[in-house]
Amino acid sequence: MPDEDRLYQSLKRAILEQRLPPGTRLRELQLAELYGVKRGTVRTALTRLSQDRLIRHRPHAGAQVARPDAGEARDLFATRRILESAVVRMLAGRIDADGLRALRRLLDEEQQAYRQQRPRDGLRLSVQFHAELARMTGNRVVQDFIEELLARTPLVLLSAGPAPRSCVNHDHGAIVDALERGDAEAAERLMQAHLDELEQGFLQPSEPPPADLRALLFDDEEASGECA
Amino acid sequence: MPDEDRLYQSLKRAILEQRLPPGTRLRELQLAELYGVKRGTVRTALTRLSQDRLIRHRPHAGAQVARPDAGEARDLFATRRILESAVVRMLAGRIDADGLRALRRLLDEEQQAYRQQRPRDGLRLSVQFHAELARMTGNRVVQDFIEELLARTPLVLLSAGPAPRSCVNHDHGAIVDALERGDAEAAERLMQAHLDELEQGFLQPSEPPPADLRALLFDDEEASGECA
DNA sequence: AACGGCTTGATTGTCAACAATCGCTTACGG
DNA sequence: CCGTAAGCGATTGTTGACAATCAAGCCGTT
């Protein structure tokens, strides 16, 4: 079933890249036509996304991209602090030269993307940095949890304040330095501060009008958008 | 859709209570007849369980209860240590009298169940103790993660060694005492030790023959079984 | 003009029949 | 006797049609 997985991955990625704002209505027939699949396929993909808490699925009311409230945002960031602190604690000192090189390469690409006004790529690389840290622990369970939280993070950010968040001054570099020194405490502290900063980027709620889907969904390889 | 949720919850609970051994084949038609629902209903329930990693779903090969390997067992326990340490750290000193009373009541019931040779109830109450701790943090994200890990724990235990695990000498009481004293460090240490103990209950692998399902699934309110 | 009920269109949920695939048995040849 | 390949039964995957439900607009009454 490559069809269903394609759809699932595509929607998940669209949410992760902040192309699908919270509250966006997802109509089965519309998605089926857009992706050239049957409605049943759409249905199971939506079931899976619902289980991931990325969409809300109320009986007979259809599916819409999840719109987490402030409480969920708080809980989600608290959980990220717990898990990602543990990740850097595990990694400190134990990471090898190849790993450090890979992380620094991501850092470079990320900063370059932001400098060149490609904030979408920047966001993607920033997320990838966190995912890569989790992957390096070798703990698949932690990795899966963190990836789930990474996918939900754009939703809590966009639900809380309007637009282009996560253009924070990236202190990812300092974390890598601490990892290289084997300074677990500093790495933990820096990671927590980093996540605090991200969380504090909150603003007052707003209501973004859900636009047409086609442009949002089939943008997988395009770059566009500005960064405030 | 109460039907589909009923099935999902029932299967999940059967796995949690170790009534469904790892590797048990779950045939769609069979489940549909057992629960008096249509096959489509079974199908979406299985999709959800698969997303929870409680079952394995290979195309055209059907669904079976997940059979996690030793690596997954290690990762799962490591993750439980991370999350549940954080839970008791958050709770230490901040838990109120009502909370302490509720926990101690669970402890009593649990010990009583084991003393009265009702290991199934004991297991259920033991799991409930961990779930209750997570709930008390007020962090729904952490709570959901821990509940997912609790559901998967029986699978990694049964996949690694044969039968009636988790009849460990329960040191839950000491954890509650530390929480009452507000001794976060001790609570963390005790929780880690407790989980270590559980993990060390491993034995060599074995192959339990998947028996008939009806007896296993519709045992929701019955008590039976012995404890080695 | 405000209100309530009704009709209608759109959307989701359900179902049963059909198609595809897999594992196993069986038959055959070496 | 062993290995191999074809056939078969069982199981899963897919599809289109139908039923149920909801939201919105319309109409008539007060």
Side-chain angles (χ1 to χ4, degrees), chain A residues 101-112:
Chain A
R101 221 181 346 259
L103 289 177
R104 290 220 164 88
R105 175 192 304 250
L106 278 174
L107 286 182
D108 285 346
E109 292 183 30
E110 180 190 341
Q111 293 204 353
Q112 199 171 350

Side-chain angles (χ1 to χ4, degrees), chain B residues 180-225:
Chain B
E180 182 170 24
R181 294 196 311 271
D183 189 345
E185 271 194 39
E188 277 196 62
R189 200 171 44 240
L190 288 165
M191 177 60 87
Q192 302 227 11
H194 173 55
L195 291 172
D196 281 336
E197 208 176 327
L198 196 56
E199 184 176 6
Q200 295 313 324
F202 274 29
L203 294 179
Q204 67 291 353
S206 78
E207 205 57 24
D212 59 331
L213 284 189
R214 187 179 286 100
L216 303 180
L217 288 172
F218 296 140
D219 200 24
D220 285 22
E221 300 306 325
E222 319 276 339
S224 76

Side-chain angles (χ1 to χ4, degrees), chain A residues 3-117:
Chain A
D3 271 0
E4 186 248 308
D5 208 56
R6 204 178 86 240
L7 210 162
Y8 170 76
Q9 298 292 348
S10 175
L11 286 170
K12 195 168 175 177
R13 186 167 165 188
I15 291 175
L16 186 73
E17 296 180 355
Q18 305 196 354
R19 298 200 307 273
L20 283 181
T24 305
R25 181 74 186 275
L26 299 175
R27 269 172 267 262
E28 298 179 356
L29 193 56
Q30 186 179 13
L31 290 175
E33 287 169 356
L34 283 174
Y35 284 88
V37 300
K38 301 299 178 186
R39 201 158 66 89
T41 309
V42 175
R43 206 147 231 285
T44 76
L46 291 180
T47 300
R48 290 175 63 191
L49 289 168
S50 172
Q51 201 70 1
D52 288 341
R53 300 195 160 55
L54 293 179
I55 69 175
R56 231 175 105 203
H57 204 132
R58 287 176 319 196
H60 289 282
Q64 58 176 3
V65 178
R67 212 144 58 69
D69 57 17
E72 184 168 341
R74 173 175 39 78
D75 292 350
L76 189 142
F77 274 107
T79 310
R80 281 193 63 176
R81 277 190 288 271
I82 294 169
L83 285 176
E84 303 205 50
S85 294
V87 163
V88 293
R89 196 185 324 141
M90 286 190 273
L91 252 40
R94 268 190 281 279
I95 190 173
D96 61 8
D98 283 346
L100 288 169
R101 221 181 346 259
L103 289 177
R104 290 220 164 88
R105 175 192 304 250
L106 278 174
L107 286 182
D108 285 346
E109 292 183 30
E110 180 190 341
Q111 293 204 353
Q112 199 171 350
Y114 281 123
R115 267 200 303 271
Q116 295 176 359
Q117 312 293 327

Side-chain angles (χ1 to χ4, degrees), chain B residues 108-127:
Chain B
D108 285 347
E109 292 182 29
E110 180 189 340
Q111 293 204 354
Q112 200 171 350
Y114 281 122
R115 266 199 304 269
Q116 296 176 0
Q117 311 294 328
R118 290 181 289 119
R120 177 159 301 168
D121 287 335
L123 171 61
R124 183 175 50 78
L125 289 162
S126 168
V127 168

